[in-house]
Amino acid sequence: MIQVDHLNYSYTKDKNYALKDVSFKVEEGEVFGFLGPSGAGKSTTQGILTGLLPIQEGNGSVAGYDLRKLDRKIFNRIGVSFEQSNVYGKLTALENLEFYRKLFDVETMNPLDLLKMVGLDEVKNKRAGTFSKGMKHRLTFARSMINNPSLWFLDEPTTGLDPAIAGIIKDIIKEKNKEGTTVFLTTHNMIIADELCDRVGFIVDGELKVVDSPRNLKLQYGKKLVQVEYIENGGPKTAMIDLSQEKERLMLNDIIRSAQIEMMHTKEATLEEIFIKLTGRGLV
């Protein structure tokens, strides 16, 4: 669904690259996370993939279209939800979607259904300019689905949303993916990426450091730890067991056999911890 090879991009048209030799592939039906801190090159990459920025060096194709020879028909196949909402403030929520659906040459979703999905149906006749930041973000998200895109670009889809609404947005993404939609997710939120993505790519300072599944990254770079809380000799104790060490596995067996277990849970590395380990950078 997406193929890019050796992308370089410079806003100053010199060797000061915002993207440096970036190559990756996104399979049809996949949720692919493009992860990194602010200024890493996520938005630049998305700008190229959605036709907002031209290819300077390298090659790429999106949804079967060559990025060097873009056809306007590509926009019938893709949807884009930007982190910075760009709705029309003087139009109502419903008018925003009614206007936007007219830009496509394919069958579109019912705007009322979309507003209901994101919890904006009760304010459908209010001007978007009166909306909070989170409400505008939800309207932008709803708008990105209106053409039933086969390839869906999502930039920080849960930013600024309360946990309940964020949960609804995540459920919508999962459902659309089950229906066959390919998702390209740019974010610095590793928890969201871990929950939603089949594979992730870590990008820092314009360089793509690694591409793999969250599970494989945890297995390769994280430790296999189990934390056990138990009662022994009348008092509470806690042990952190490294399952990669035979001696500690035997210790765990002894605890299970002889002590009263109160809690036991795994302590595998988080994506954020692995990101920092591989890149030497945080996500801020």
Side-chain angles (χ1 to χ4, degrees):
M1 186 61 77
I2 297 176
Q3 175 79 53
V4 294
D5 299 296
H6 308 293
L7 286 185
N8 291 301
Y9 192 87
S10 171
Y11 288 98
T12 52
K13 307 292 179 66
D14 54 21
K15 297 300 181 182
N16 183 25
Y17 288 117
L19 292 182
K20 306 169 187 176
D21 197 32
V22 171
S23 299
F24 62 90
K25 184 177 183 179
V26 178
E27 301 289 350
E28 186 173 355
E30 184 176 24
V31 180
F32 184 85
F34 207 57
L35 316 180
S38 299
K42 302 188 303 296
S43 295
T44 301
T45 302
Q46 182 171 263
I48 293 172
L49 297 178
T50 56
L52 297 178
L53 295 174
I55 285 187
Q56 292 178 344
E57 299 177 27
N59 296 286
S61 63
V62 169
Y65 292 89
D66 187 337
L67 288 174
R68 287 191 174 276
K69 304 173 183 177
L70 272 185
D71 188 311
R72 70 178 302 273
K73 292 180 181 178
I74 189 177
F75 299 109
N76 287 322
R77 297 199 60 193
I78 68 173
V80 183
S81 180
F82 297 100
E83 180 182 8
Q84 300 297 326
S85 301
N86 57 346
V87 297
Y88 294 104
K90 292 184 178 181
L91 300 181
T92 66
L94 182 58
E95 288 170 342
N96 263 275
L97 297 188
E98 290 285 7
F99 171 78
Y100 194 66
R101 73 189 304 193
K102 296 175 183 177
L103 302 178
F104 296 97
D105 301 323
V106 294
E107 185 177 350
T108 56
M109 294 183 67
N110 187 321
L112 290 175
D113 291 339
L114 288 171
L115 292 174
K116 187 173 183 178
M117 286 173 66
V118 299
L120 293 176
D121 50 316
E122 293 186 0
V123 293
K124 62 180 183 295
N125 294 319
K126 289 189 176 182
R127 289 188 178 185
T130 67
F131 285 3
S132 67
K133 182 178 179 181
M135 293 168 70
K136 290 177 181 177
H137 192 74
R138 280 186 275 162
L139 182 56
T140 301
F141 179 81
R143 189 183 64 186
S144 70
M145 291 186 281
I146 201 164
N147 59 319
N148 290 298
S150 55
L151 176 57
W152 199 11
F153 292 92
L154 300 176
D155 188 8
E156 303 289 0
T158 61
T159 187
L161 303 180
D162 66 62
I165 296 297
I168 292 171
I169 296 299
K170 287 186 290 184
D171 287 342
I172 292 172
I173 295 170
K174 291 175 184 177
E175 185 60 33
K176 288 294 182 182
N177 180 241
K178 284 182 181 179
E179 294 172 2
T181 303
T182 304
V183 181
F184 186 86
L185 172 68
T186 54
T187 184
H188 66 269
N189 188 325
M190 293 293 173
I191 297 175
I192 298 296
D194 198 3
E195 181 177 349
L196 296 178
C197 296
D198 299 303
R199 288 188 305 141
V200 296
F202 291 167
I203 185 168
V204 174
D205 297 329
E207 296 184 41
L208 191 58
K209 301 294 186 179
V210 66
V211 175
D212 210 334
S213 69
R215 183 178 187 275
N216 286 345
L217 289 171
K218 290 176 183 178
L219 290 175
Q220 184 173 356
Y221 297 103
K223 290 184 178 181
K224 301 175 182 178
L225 302 178
V226 173
Q227 181 174 307
V228 186
E229 298 179 25
Y230 58 100
I231 302 296
E232 189 175 64
N233 298 324
K237 292 187 177 181
T238 300
M240 189 71 73
I241 308 295
D242 185 347
L243 296 181
S244 65
Q245 304 296 319
E246 183 178 1
K247 181 179 179 181
E248 298 202 21
R249 290 198 300 269
L250 294 173
M251 182 191 305
L252 177 60
N253 288 336
D254 289 340
I255 293 172
I256 293 173
R257 185 168 52 249
S258 62
Q260 177 185 336
I261 305 296
E262 293 201 315
M263 292 186 186
M264 182 186 300
H265 51 89
T266 59
K267 296 285 287 184
E268 70 270 6
T270 65
L271 267 187
E272 183 165 356
E273 290 169 342
I274 294 170
F275 182 91
I276 293 171
K277 182 175 183 179
L278 290 177
T279 67
R281 289 280 302 275
L283 292 170
V284 179

